[in-house]
Each structure stands twice: as C-alpha cells, then as structure tokens.
Amino acid sequence: MAEREALKASFLAAAGLQDARREGLAGDASTRAYERLFLADGSRRIFMDQPPVESAPCPPDADAGTRRTLGYNAMARLAAGRVDAFVAVADWLNRSGLSAPRIEAFDAGLGLAVMEDLGDDLFGARIANGADEQPLYEAAVEALVHMQASPVPDRLSAAPGVDWPLLTYDALALETAADLLPDWLPALRPEVRIDASARADWAALWRPILERGEAGATVFCHRDYHVENLIWLPDREGPARVGMVDFQDALRAHPAWDVSMLLHDARRDVSPGLSDSMLQLYLDRSSPAGDPAFVADFHALGALNICRILGVFARLVKRDGRPKYEAFLPRMWGYLDRCLADPGLVDLRDWLDACVPAEARR
C-alpha cells in the first residue's frame, strides 16, 4: 500500500499536481479506485488508479485455444483494466462528437491517469432525486445512435503513442458471458441443478445466438452503457450532452448489446413502458430500424446479457464477499422473463424452468 501511494505521489508531482487536495470517491465492482483532485485555481480533476493486477487482455491475433489458455479476460475480450485502453477509447469518443473525460496525464505501465472532471450529475442520481427519466433516456438513446453511426476503426490511436485494438465481441466472448450463469449461480443457489447433460443443452441453445451476435458485430460498443455511467452535461449540445465513463472494455459488437445494457439496468428498475418506448425510439432513429430481426436479436442477446449479469453478481457474492449484489438479482430475473416472452426463446425458457426452480430466482 505504501509503495503504491509513493508511485501515485510521484506521478502527480510529475504532472504538476503535487499540491492538489485529494478526496476519495466511491468505488464499483472493479479493481479501479478514483479520487477527485482540487487544484489551487478552483478547478477539479479526476485521478484514476488502476493497479496492473488483472490477467492479460486478449492479443489481437489470438485463436480460441490461446484465449482459453490465457484466461477469462482474454476469453471475454476484457481490457483487463488497461489505462491505455481507457485513453484510446476516450480519445475516439471525443473525436466522434461525444463526451468522455479528456486525459491530461497518464502512465499506462503504472495504471494511473488524470482526466477532466465531468462532475457528479449522473443520470441515475438525477432520476433518484426526482428528475423526469424520459428526457434523460431519450438523450441516452440519441447519444447511443450517434455512437453506433460513427465509423468503426480496427485500432484506436491516441497521442502520445497509444494504439489499442478494437476487437470483436465474438462467439467465444459471448459464450464466456453466457456461461457465467451455470458457472456461478449454483454456488449461490444450491437448489439449482445443472448436470453434464443440462450443460450440453445450454451450450446448444446458445450456439445460434452466439453466431448471430458475432455476425451482427458491426458497431462501436461502449459495453457498460447504463445510467450510472452517463453524466448529464446540459451546457453541451446534442449527443455531447451525455458524458460517458467506464468504457475501457469497448468492442465492435452487435448494436443490441448497448441497448440491452441501457434498458436491462441492474441497479434501477426500467419499467416495461419506458423500455418499450425507448426501444421504439432507438428503432426509429437508427439503421437497424428496417431489420425485422433486430427485435429478436435484442431479446436473445438481452437474455444473454442478463444471464451474464446474474452470473457476475453470484460470483461477486460467493467468491468476492460482496453481499450487496444479491439484492439486484430479482430485478434481473424480471428482465429475463420479459426477454424470454419472445417465442423464439421458448427452448431457453424451458431449460431455465427445468434447471432453475422458482425459489432460486430471488
């Protein structure tokens, strides 16, 4: 701890910020930590500390076997908390007419960065404090449509010397996501019974959805697009009014993924009425509107995303000792029921009814 603190102090001194007052900010489920820096001139910055403690990210040319050997981050195509990924994605978002924190200093090797402070006006906090949710969700959809309409590069480059690959959310990454539910839910809910035969059926049920997800991976994907990662910036215009954070795991993905993240929000209830109206708004304004398969893909990949989140929360509770995430599970089961009402997912619904009894969905 003392050694890390010394590195941070040295980094801040090199950036000319040694005299800034530092104040810790609430964390999340990641290995990152944030502080707010108060400068003598009255301005503020955000200081991000991402220790290089995670397993390696996915090499761009790694095959499936290599990725399985490298571990979860490579399989799921997560950035492993890399600061250079954050810097590269932030630069691309800003150059695309969106709003991400502008980076002022960073050291990718140390996992440290100082960036613009976009403030505390999170969409989620605004709604909790009584703001009308409708215009905020409309702004989020507008920004999402703008982001998805922007040309998608193979690599993201940002000065000085940052070059980050924008990989595809492919079938292996999607499979890794879906498998979190059978991997971790039984540990949290002993009444869940998934034998070898059921596990094989699970894989078979997802296979065509994985293929559709990979084939449709055509747009830039924030990957964690929900109201706790969106900041209201009313002094800016159009899609730039939506400040974005926590985007370092960005990929090229199916457009339904970020729509699911927004409308299947683990931390707050998105009513069926709001979800339906925002999905329609998205369809009215985006290129998938003419694709009759999009809504089916939204339900299928939404179901996959929800299963992923259920598995992640079960893992956080059982492995990492974070019991607060158990309270989010009933909401996710409710979202999953909505997706599974799609007639194309009847076999998946039957599997869950057979393997995950009602008392386990709590």
Side-chain angles (χ1 to χ4, degrees):
M1 182 69 73
E3 181 180 356
R4 184 70 181 170
E5 184 56 37
L7 288 173
K8 291 162 67 174
S10 177
F11 170 81
L12 289 173
L17 298 169
Q18 66 273 11
D19 295 326
R21 180 169 66 84
R22 296 163 57 182
E23 182 178 289
L25 296 175
D28 56 16
S30 74
T31 54
R32 293 182 299 279
Y34 294 94
E35 297 176 40
R36 176 163 277 136
L37 304 179
F38 296 85
L39 279 60
D41 63 3
S43 64
R44 306 185 312 189
R45 305 290 188 275
I46 296 296
F47 182 27
M48 181 171 70
D49 177 15
Q50 170 62 77
V53 296
E54 298 190 29
S55 61
C58 181
D61 57 351
D63 60 21
T66 300
R67 287 163 64 187
R68 292 183 190 278
T69 300
L70 288 172
Y72 178 74
N73 280 336
M75 292 166 64
R77 286 191 159 162
L78 293 167
R82 291 279 294 270
V83 165
D84 39 350
F86 188 96
V87 171
V89 177
D91 178 78
W92 184 88
L93 289 169
N94 284 317
R95 286 189 291 105
S96 298
L98 296 160
S99 292
R102 298 188 180 277
I103 311 301
E104 298 190 5
F106 72 95
D107 187 313
L110 293 179
L112 299 171
V114 172
M115 66 194 77
E116 177 186 11
D117 185 352
L118 295 181
D120 296 316
D121 210 2
L122 292 168
F123 279 33
R126 284 183 66 82
I127 295 168
N129 290 329
D132 185 355
E133 64 183 4
Q134 185 85 13
L136 291 170
Y137 273 89
E138 289 175 355
V141 169
E142 177 186 3
L144 179 57
V145 169
H146 180 94
M147 183 173 69
Q148 293 185 346
S150 302
V152 187
D154 292 326
R155 305 191 72 86
L156 306 177
S157 299
V162 172
D163 182 62
W164 187 260
L166 191 70
L167 303 179
T168 296
Y169 209 166
D170 63 0
L172 176 57
L174 291 166
E175 176 188 18
T176 303
D179 283 350
L180 285 167
L181 185 146
D183 284 347
W184 285 100
L185 188 61
L188 184 65
R189 299 285 186 259
E191 58 269 39
V192 174
R193 294 285 185 265
I194 303 174
D195 60 18
S197 176
R199 192 62 187 255
D201 291 341
W202 175 263
L205 287 167
W206 285 112
R207 193 166 298 117
I209 297 172
L210 307 181
E211 292 171 356
R212 284 154 55 190
E214 179 172 340
T218 58
V219 302
F220 190 95
C221 176
H222 178 291
R223 200 171 181 176
D224 206 11
Y225 195 79
H226 57 79
V227 296
E228 294 301 325
N229 285 334
L230 304 178
I231 301 170
W232 184 235
L233 303 172
D235 294 335
R236 304 187 186 187
E237 296 183 357
R241 295 176 301 164
V242 181
M244 300 183 189
V245 295
D246 204 13
F247 42 65
Q248 61 283 335
D249 291 318
L251 293 168
R252 183 193 308 266
H254 193 291
W257 192 266
D258 275 342
V259 184
S260 172
M261 288 301 307
L262 181 66
L263 301 182
H264 301 139
D265 193 324
R267 290 166 176 79
R268 72 176 306 269
D269 292 326
V270 180
S271 70
L274 179 63
S275 180
D276 290 346
S277 65
M278 290 303 103
L279 180 59
Q280 188 58 54
L281 179 64
Y282 173 84
L283 292 172
D284 290 343
R285 296 191 180 182
S286 67
S287 55
D291 182 359
F294 181 83
V295 173
D297 285 347
F298 168 71
H299 290 147
L301 289 170
L304 190 155
N305 183 34
I306 294 162
C307 289
R308 175 188 70 86
I309 295 170
L310 287 165
V312 167
F313 288 169
R315 183 176 65 186
L316 283 167
V317 174
K318 289 300 294 184
R319 187 191 70 183
D320 302 335
R322 297 188 178 188
K324 72 174 185 177
Y325 290 96
E326 192 161 2
F328 300 144
L329 296 178
R331 179 180 296 122
M332 302 315 299
W333 285 115
Y335 291 144
L336 187 56
D337 286 341
R338 292 186 209 170
C339 289
L340 295 178
D342 190 305
L345 299 176
V346 62
D347 291 340
L348 180 59
R349 185 168 68 245
D350 289 345
W351 186 97
L352 286 162
D353 287 343
C355 296
V356 185
E359 60 269 25
R361 306 185 195 190
R362 63 184 196 278

